[in-house]
Amino acid sequence: MSLRKQSLWSMLPLVVVTFVNVVSVPLFYRYLGAEMYALWFYVLTFTGTFGFMDLGLGVAVGRYMGIALGKGDEQAVREYWGTANVIAIPLLAFMALGFLVIGAWYGPRWFPVAPANVSLLRWSFLSGGLGLFFSYYCQFWLILSQAHLDFRFVGVLRTAMSILQVVPAIPLAWWTRSPLVLITWTTVIAFLQLVVYVWHGRRTYRMGFALGQARRGRALEMAAYTGKTFATLIVNSLLGTVDRIVVGRLAPAADFTYYSICTNAGGRIQGLSQAIMGPVFNNSTRALGDGTRTSLALVYNQTFDFVFPWYLLVSMIVVIWHPVLLHLWLGPELSVHLFPIISPIIVGCCLAAISTISSAQLGSLNRLGAGLVFHIATSLLLVAGVFVGWHWYGVIGVAWGFLLSRIALVVQDLFVIRLVGACGWLAASTWRHFTMQAAVGLALLSTSLIWPRTSFWQLLPAVLHGAVMSAWILRHPIRTVWRKMRTDLSPSHA
C-alpha cells in the first residue's frame, strides 16, 4: 500500500469525526447549556495535560518494532511488545488513578464551577480517569497495527468507533443534560475499542499480551529513547494546553466556551495530521531498518505535497469566509462572539498540523533532543503569548498569542528539511499554491461589496472558492482518471 493510501486510510476516521463534530457542537451547546458545556470541557482540558501518561513508551516501542520488522526479526518484535505491555499496564493504571485524584481534589479549586456543580465535576473526573486508561492503552495496540502497516484496519475501526461515540452522545445530551453521562459513554466506547484491538492483534499478527516475552535488555534498550519522548510529551501536555488552562482560570464560563468551541474545531482540523504521522513514522523507521535512508526525503516531500495544499485551503477559507460560515454553523447570537478568535486559532492549528511530518521524522531518526528543543520553544512562546495577549486584549489576545507561538514549528520544519534533504516550504510549488489560493480568495472576497459578509448569499462565492481550489489541487489525479477513462472507452482499446 502506498504512503498516500496509508495516509488516506488513517485520515478516514478523523475526517468522519470532524464532520460529525461540526454538526454536533451546536447541538451539544444547545442541550447542555453554557455552564454544563464549559464543565465538560474543563475535564477534557485537564485530560490534555496528561498526554505524557505513557512516559513516551508507546512511541518508543513503535519505533523499535518498526526497525525490527524492517530487518525481518519477528522474535525481537515480540520481545519489544511484551516488554512494553509489562511496563505499560501498571504505569497507565497508576497515571489514571493520579488523574482522577488530582482532578477531583484540585479541579474545583482551579475551574470556576458553581458550588452546586462541584460534586458533578468530581464524578466526571472519576469517569474520565477510567476512560483515560482505556484510551491510552488502546494507543499501544493501535501502534502495533501501524507497525505492521495495517492502516486499513485502523482506519475502519476508528471510523466506526468515532461514529459510535459521537452520534449516540447527542440524544444522551438532550435526554440527561449531563456532561458526566457523555464522559461515561466515551469511557465505554474506549473499552470496546480496546477489546477489538486485542482480538485483531491475536488473530492477525499472532500477538497477544506476550508478557512472557518481556526482556530486561529490551527495556534498557528503549529507555533512552523513551526518556527523550517523555520529555517532549510532558512539555506538550503541561505547556501545550496553557492557553485553555489560563482562559479556564481567568475568563468567565461563557468566554471559555467560545474559546473552547474554536480550539475544538481547530483541534479536529489539526488532528487530521495524526493520520499522516503513523505512515510517516513507520515508513521512515522501516527505511532505517532496511538501510534505505535516502528515501527519507521522498517520504517528507510526498507527505508535504499531499497535505500542504489542503491545510492552506482550510486556512484561506476560514480567514476569508468565517463570518458567513459561523453564522450558518452556530447561528447569529453565538457566532458573533467567535468572529475575532476563530481565524488565528485555525491558522495556528494548520501550521501545527503541517509540522507533524517533521516531528514524525525526528522521532524515526532518534533526533528527539532536537525535537524537544523546538517543542520547548513553541511552549515558551505560547506561555508568553497567552499572558501578554490576555493582558493586551483578553481572549482575542490569547488567540493571537497562540498563532504566533507556531512560528517555532515552522523553524522545526526547516530544520528537518535541511536534515533529510527535502523541499517542503522551500519548494517553488509550495509558494505557487499560496499565490494561487490567495488570488482566488481575494478576488471572490470582492462580493462583500454586494452582500454583507454574514449574508447567506456569501455561501455562493465561499463554495466556489472551495470547489475551484479543490479541483486545482486534484488536477493531476483528475487528469489521470480522465485519460484512463478515455483509453478504456476508445475503439482501439475495445
Side-chain angles (χ1 to χ4, degrees):
M1 186 184 295
S2 68
L3 180 62
R4 179 168 294 190
K5 287 184 178 179
Q6 292 173 11
S7 299
L8 289 172
W9 275 111
S10 297
M11 201 172 289
L12 175 63
L14 301 175
V15 171
V16 170
V17 77
T18 299
F19 173 77
V20 174
N21 184 69
V22 168
V23 177
S24 64
V25 163
L27 297 176
F28 283 131
Y29 182 82
R30 183 185 310 164
Y31 297 151
L32 294 177
E35 187 170 354
M36 289 296 100
Y37 191 92
L39 190 149
W40 184 23
F41 270 84
Y42 290 152
V43 178
L44 296 181
T45 298
F46 195 73
T47 301
T49 65
F50 270 69
F52 60 87
M53 67 180 288
D54 73 341
L55 305 187
L57 181 61
V59 177
V61 71
R63 179 182 187 271
Y64 282 91
M65 283 195 301
I67 292 176
L69 287 167
K71 295 177 179 178
D73 190 347
E74 292 290 339
Q75 180 59 31
V77 173
R78 292 182 177 276
E79 291 176 1
Y80 288 127
W81 176 242
T83 303
N85 276 302
V86 166
I87 299 172
I89 294 173
L91 172 65
L92 294 179
F94 176 78
M95 288 293 186
L97 179 63
F99 169 86
L100 65 92
V101 170
I102 295 172
W105 176 75
Y106 194 66
R109 298 169 181 261
W110 182 264
F111 297 113
V113 296
N117 295 324
V118 168
S119 178
L120 177 62
L121 181 63
R122 285 177 171 153
W123 279 104
S124 297
F125 275 113
L126 177 64
S127 179
L130 187 60
L132 204 62
F133 171 80
F134 293 136
S135 296
Y136 269 88
Y137 191 48
C138 265
Q139 293 301 310
F140 278 80
W141 290 86
L142 178 148
I143 288 167
L144 176 66
S145 295
Q146 289 186 336
H148 287 84
L149 304 183
D150 196 0
F151 292 97
R152 180 177 300 173
F153 163 74
V154 172
V156 171
L157 176 61
R158 295 182 71 191
T159 300
M161 291 299 168
S162 298
I163 294 173
L164 188 59
Q165 176 185 330
V166 177
V167 174
I170 297 174
L172 285 174
W174 169 78
W175 183 38
T176 65
R177 317 286 183 182
S178 172
L180 173 59
V181 173
L182 302 184
I183 294 169
T184 302
W185 177 249
T186 300
T187 299
V188 171
I189 298 303
F191 173 74
L192 178 60
Q193 185 170 238
L194 175 60
V195 170
V196 177
Y197 269 123
V198 173
W199 168 80
H200 182 77
R202 288 179 176 275
R203 186 178 69 91
T204 306
Y205 321 124
R206 301 292 185 266
M207 297 280 283
F209 295 94
L211 301 179
Q213 301 289 328
R215 297 291 183 270
R216 182 173 180 272
R218 297 302 187 188
L220 294 175
E221 189 179 349
M222 293 187 290
Y225 188 93
T226 301
K228 289 183 285 187
T229 305
F230 169 65
T232 302
L233 289 174
I234 200 167
V235 167
N236 289 342
S237 299
L238 297 182
L239 298 180
T241 58
V242 70
D243 56 329
R244 280 153 285 177
I245 293 174
V246 170
V247 173
R249 173 64 173 172
L250 300 178
D255 284 346
F256 178 76
T257 297
Y258 306 145
Y259 193 84
S260 295
I261 291 174
C262 293
T263 55
N264 185 33
R268 296 295 183 182
I269 294 170
Q270 181 179 334
L272 292 173
S273 67
Q274 299 303 312
I276 63 173
M277 193 168 197
V280 170
F281 181 83
N282 287 282
N283 280 278
S284 296
T285 54
R286 287 287 186 101
L288 292 173
D290 61 21
T292 55
R293 188 183 179 93
T294 54
S295 64
L296 291 172
L298 182 61
V299 171
Y300 188 98
N301 289 335
Q302 286 183 346
T303 311
F304 188 92
D305 293 343
F306 174 54
V307 302
F308 173 78
W310 295 108
Y311 276 114
L312 177 61
L313 179 58
V314 169
S315 298
M316 289 285 183
I317 286 179
V318 170
V319 169
I320 295 173
W321 308 109
H322 69 269
V324 65
L325 296 178
L326 287 175
H327 194 194
L328 176 67
W329 181 31
L330 299 173
E333 294 183 4
L334 180 58
S335 63
V336 69
H337 298 286
L338 275 62
F339 286 169
I341 58 179
I342 187 72
S343 293
I345 290 176
I346 296 298
V347 174
C349 287
C350 288
L351 290 174
I354 294 170
S355 73
T356 300
I357 308 170
S358 57
S359 295
Q361 288 208 313
L362 284 174
S364 64
L365 289 166
N366 199 8
R367 297 295 296 268
L368 293 174
L372 179 60
V373 170
F374 288 115
H375 283 285
I376 291 175
T378 304
S379 298
L380 292 178
L381 285 174
L382 179 60
V383 171
V386 164
F387 283 97
V388 173
W390 175 260
H391 291 291
W392 168 57
Y393 212 56
V395 175
I396 300 174
V398 171
W400 282 97
F402 172 83
L403 171 59
L404 293 176
S405 70
R406 307 298 99 172
I407 293 173
L409 296 178
V410 177
V411 176
Q412 174 186 284
D413 291 342
L414 296 175
F415 173 80
V416 173
I417 287 168
R418 182 177 179 274
L419 183 66
V420 302
C423 298
W425 289 103
L426 305 180
S429 59
T430 298
W431 298 103
R432 188 163 59 248
H433 274 295
F434 182 87
T435 302
M436 175 67 75
Q437 294 207 31
V440 172
L442 292 175
L444 291 171
L445 182 60
S446 62
T447 56
S448 60
L449 299 174
I450 304 173
W451 305 305
R453 295 193 65 192
T454 56
S455 169
F456 286 139
W457 285 106
Q458 288 283 14
L459 290 173
L460 296 177
V463 171
L464 181 61
H465 182 185
V468 169
M469 294 317 308
S470 296
W472 192 70
I473 294 169
L474 295 171
R475 64 192 184 281
H476 297 304
I478 291 173
R479 189 181 300 130
T480 300
V481 172
W482 174 247
R483 287 174 178 172
K484 186 177 184 303
M485 290 177 60
R486 289 182 61 184
T487 301
D488 292 342
L489 295 175
S490 64
S492 58
H493 184 268

mmCIF file of all heavy atoms in Angstrom, residues 68-89:
data_model
loop_
_atom_site.group_PDB
_atom_site.id
_atom_site.type_symbol
_atom_site.label_atom_id
_atom_site.label_comp_id
_atom_site.label_asym_id
_atom_site.label_seq_id
_atom_site.Cartn_x
_atom_site.Cartn_y
_atom_site.Cartn_z
ATOM 1 N N ALA A 68 12.692 -3.488 13.750
ATOM 2 C CA ALA A 68 12.811 -4.953 13.781
ATOM 3 C C ALA A 68 12.032 -5.600 12.640
ATOM 4 O O ALA A 68 12.501 -6.562 12.011
ATOM 5 C CB ALA A 68 12.318 -5.492 15.126
ATOM 6 N N LEU A 69 10.857 -5.063 12.324
ATOM 7 C CA LEU A 69 10.091 -5.590 11.195
ATOM 8 C C LEU A 69 10.813 -5.321 9.883
ATOM 9 O O LEU A 69 10.768 -6.141 8.957
ATOM 10 C CB LEU A 69 8.694 -4.970 11.181
ATOM 11 C CG LEU A 69 7.726 -5.477 12.269
ATOM 12 C CD1 LEU A 69 6.497 -4.586 12.357
ATOM 13 C CD2 LEU A 69 7.310 -6.917 11.974
ATOM 14 N N GLY A 70 11.464 -4.155 9.768
ATOM 15 C CA GLY A 70 12.244 -3.867 8.567
ATOM 16 C C GLY A 70 13.385 -4.855 8.377
ATOM 17 O O GLY A 70 13.747 -5.196 7.253
ATOM 18 N N LYS A 71 13.940 -5.357 9.491
ATOM 19 C CA LYS A 71 15.008 -6.352 9.432
ATOM 20 C C LYS A 71 14.475 -7.777 9.318
ATOM 21 O O LYS A 71 15.248 -8.712 9.098
ATOM 22 C CB LYS A 71 15.879 -6.249 10.686
ATOM 23 C CG LYS A 71 16.636 -4.941 10.820
ATOM 24 C CD LYS A 71 17.420 -4.902 12.125
ATOM 25 C CE LYS A 71 18.200 -3.604 12.263
ATOM 26 N NZ LYS A 71 18.932 -3.544 13.563
ATOM 27 N N GLY A 72 13.145 -7.950 9.521
ATOM 28 C CA GLY A 72 12.561 -9.295 9.485
ATOM 29 C C GLY A 72 12.789 -10.090 10.759
ATOM 30 O O GLY A 72 12.700 -11.328 10.747
ATOM 31 N N ASP A 73 13.050 -9.437 11.888
ATOM 32 C CA ASP A 73 13.339 -10.104 13.163
ATOM 33 C C ASP A 73 12.056 -10.185 13.989
ATOM 34 O O ASP A 73 11.778 -9.320 14.830
ATOM 35 C CB ASP A 73 14.429 -9.325 13.910
ATOM 36 C CG ASP A 73 14.951 -10.078 15.123
ATOM 37 O OD1 ASP A 73 14.328 -11.072 15.533
ATOM 38 O OD2 ASP A 73 15.983 -9.653 15.686
ATOM 39 N N GLU A 74 11.257 -11.240 13.777
ATOM 40 C CA GLU A 74 9.971 -11.399 14.461
ATOM 41 C C GLU A 74 10.146 -11.602 15.963
ATOM 42 O O GLU A 74 9.321 -11.151 16.763
ATOM 43 C CB GLU A 74 9.202 -12.571 13.860
ATOM 44 C CG GLU A 74 8.731 -12.341 12.428
ATOM 45 C CD GLU A 74 7.624 -11.297 12.352
ATOM 46 O OE1 GLU A 74 6.963 -11.052 13.383
ATOM 47 O OE2 GLU A 74 7.436 -10.719 11.269
ATOM 48 N N GLN A 75 11.202 -12.291 16.381
ATOM 49 C CA GLN A 75 11.419 -12.530 17.810
ATOM 50 C C GLN A 75 11.659 -11.215 18.541
ATOM 51 O O GLN A 75 11.142 -10.998 19.647
ATOM 52 C CB GLN A 75 12.606 -13.478 18.020
ATOM 53 C CG GLN A 75 12.916 -13.798 19.479
ATOM 54 C CD GLN A 75 11.732 -14.438 20.199
ATOM 55 O OE1 GLN A 75 10.921 -15.155 19.598
ATOM 56 N NE2 GLN A 75 11.626 -14.186 21.503
ATOM 57 N N ALA A 76 12.426 -10.329 17.928
ATOM 58 C CA ALA A 76 12.659 -9.023 18.549
ATOM 59 C C ALA A 76 11.367 -8.238 18.668
ATOM 60 O O ALA A 76 11.130 -7.543 19.673
ATOM 61 C CB ALA A 76 13.687 -8.236 17.741
ATOM 62 N N VAL A 77 10.508 -8.346 17.658
ATOM 63 C CA VAL A 77 9.218 -7.656 17.700
ATOM 64 C C VAL A 77 8.418 -8.110 18.912
ATOM 65 O O VAL A 77 7.860 -7.299 19.665
ATOM 66 C CB VAL A 77 8.419 -7.907 16.401
ATOM 67 C CG1 VAL A 77 7.015 -7.332 16.513
ATOM 68 C CG2 VAL A 77 9.140 -7.292 15.205
ATOM 69 N N ARG A 78 8.376 -9.436 19.147
ATOM 70 C CA ARG A 78 7.627 -9.968 20.284
ATOM 71 C C ARG A 78 8.243 -9.523 21.610
ATOM 72 O O ARG A 78 7.528 -9.226 22.581
ATOM 73 C CB ARG A 78 7.581 -11.494 20.214
ATOM 74 C CG ARG A 78 6.753 -12.010 19.059
ATOM 75 C CD ARG A 78 6.677 -13.530 19.052
ATOM 76 N NE ARG A 78 5.812 -13.974 17.982
ATOM 77 C CZ ARG A 78 4.484 -14.058 18.082
ATOM 78 N NH1 ARG A 78 3.899 -13.722 19.219
ATOM 79 N NH2 ARG A 78 3.749 -14.458 17.065
ATOM 80 N N GLU A 79 9.552 -9.460 21.672
ATOM 81 C CA GLU A 79 10.200 -9.052 22.914
ATOM 82 C C GLU A 79 9.940 -7.572 23.217
ATOM 83 O O GLU A 79 9.666 -7.210 24.374
ATOM 84 C CB GLU A 79 11.698 -9.338 22.821
ATOM 85 C CG GLU A 79 12.015 -10.837 22.827
ATOM 86 C CD GLU A 79 13.495 -11.124 22.627
ATOM 87 O OE1 GLU A 79 14.280 -10.145 22.498
ATOM 88 O OE2 GLU A 79 13.868 -12.309 22.603
ATOM 89 N N TYR A 80 10.012 -6.740 22.198
ATOM 90 C CA TYR A 80 9.694 -5.320 22.406
ATOM 91 C C TYR A 80 8.245 -5.162 22.867
ATOM 92 O O TYR A 80 7.947 -4.401 23.791
ATOM 93 C CB TYR A 80 9.917 -4.517 21.121
ATOM 94 C CG TYR A 80 11.359 -4.305 20.753
ATOM 95 C CD1 TYR A 80 11.832 -4.649 19.481
ATOM 96 C CD2 TYR A 80 12.260 -3.746 21.649
ATOM 97 C CE1 TYR A 80 13.158 -4.436 19.127
ATOM 98 C CE2 TYR A 80 13.588 -3.534 21.299
ATOM 99 C CZ TYR A 80 14.033 -3.892 20.039
ATOM 100 O OH TYR A 80 15.349 -3.683 19.692
ATOM 101 N N TRP A 81 7.350 -5.893 22.226
ATOM 102 C CA TRP A 81 5.927 -5.769 22.522
ATOM 103 C C TRP A 81 5.605 -6.282 23.935
ATOM 104 O O TRP A 81 4.890 -5.627 24.690
ATOM 105 C CB TRP A 81 5.119 -6.524 21.479
ATOM 106 C CG TRP A 81 3.643 -6.554 21.724
ATOM 107 C CD1 TRP A 81 2.865 -7.655 21.947
ATOM 108 C CD2 TRP A 81 2.749 -5.431 21.759
ATOM 109 N NE1 TRP A 81 1.546 -7.282 22.118
ATOM 110 C CE2 TRP A 81 1.454 -5.921 22.011
ATOM 111 C CE3 TRP A 81 2.928 -4.059 21.604
ATOM 112 C CZ2 TRP A 81 0.349 -5.101 22.125
ATOM 113 C CZ3 TRP A 81 1.819 -3.220 21.723
ATOM 114 C CH2 TRP A 81 0.550 -3.744 21.973
ATOM 115 N N GLY A 82 6.136 -7.440 24.303
ATOM 116 C CA GLY A 82 5.898 -7.971 25.636
ATOM 117 C C GLY A 82 6.461 -7.073 26.725
ATOM 118 O O GLY A 82 5.825 -6.841 27.763
ATOM 119 N N THR A 83 7.649 -6.540 26.486
ATOM 120 C CA THR A 83 8.262 -5.626 27.450
ATOM 121 C C THR A 83 7.409 -4.374 27.631
ATOM 122 O O THR A 83 7.213 -3.893 28.761
ATOM 123 C CB THR A 83 9.676 -5.232 26.971
ATOM 124 O OG1 THR A 83 10.461 -6.417 26.777
ATOM 125 C CG2 THR A 83 10.360 -4.332 27.980
ATOM 126 N N ALA A 84 6.896 -3.837 26.538
ATOM 127 C CA ALA A 84 6.049 -2.647 26.617
ATOM 128 C C ALA A 84 4.791 -2.919 27.430
ATOM 129 O O ALA A 84 4.375 -2.078 28.242
ATOM 130 C CB ALA A 84 5.676 -2.180 25.208
ATOM 131 N N ASN A 85 4.169 -4.080 27.243
ATOM 132 C CA ASN A 85 2.954 -4.399 28.000
ATOM 133 C C ASN A 85 3.223 -4.555 29.487
ATOM 134 O O ASN A 85 2.432 -4.101 30.324
ATOM 135 C CB ASN A 85 2.323 -5.682 27.446
ATOM 136 C CG ASN A 85 1.446 -5.417 26.240
ATOM 137 O OD1 ASN A 85 0.495 -4.654 26.311
ATOM 138 N ND2 ASN A 85 1.786 -6.023 25.121
ATOM 139 N N VAL A 86 4.331 -5.205 29.840
ATOM 140 C CA VAL A 86 4.671 -5.385 31.254
ATOM 141 C C VAL A 86 4.830 -4.043 31.954
ATOM 142 O O VAL A 86 4.433 -3.871 33.113
ATOM 143 C CB VAL A 86 5.957 -6.227 31.388
ATOM 144 C CG1 VAL A 86 6.527 -6.151 32.800
ATOM 145 C CG2 VAL A 86 5.681 -7.676 31.028
ATOM 146 N N ILE A 87 5.389 -3.066 31.247
ATOM 147 C CA ILE A 87 5.593 -1.739 31.835
ATOM 148 C C ILE A 87 4.325 -0.897 31.760
ATOM 149 O O ILE A 87 3.951 -0.202 32.719
ATOM 150 C CB ILE A 87 6.748 -1.015 31.125
ATOM 151 C CG1 ILE A 87 8.049 -1.811 31.284
ATOM 152 C CG2 ILE A 87 6.911 0.399 31.662
ATOM 153 C CD1 ILE A 87 9.198 -1.274 30.463
ATOM 154 N N ALA A 88 3.625 -0.951 30.612
ATOM 155 C CA ALA A 88 2.543 -0.002 30.342
ATOM 156 C C ALA A 88 1.309 -0.235 31.202
ATOM 157 O O ALA A 88 0.694 0.728 31.674
ATOM 158 C CB ALA A 88 2.160 -0.065 28.868
ATOM 159 N N ILE A 89 0.912 -1.477 31.408
ATOM 160 C CA ILE A 89 -0.358 -1.729 32.099
ATOM 161 C C ILE A 89 -0.361 -1.148 33.515
ATOM 162 O O ILE A 89 -1.255 -0.371 33.865
ATOM 163 C CB ILE A 89 -0.685 -3.240 32.089
ATOM 164 C CG1 ILE A 89 -0.946 -3.695 30.643
ATOM 165 C CG2 ILE A 89 -1.890 -3.531 32.969
ATOM 166 C CD1 ILE A 89 -1.124 -5.190 30.500
#
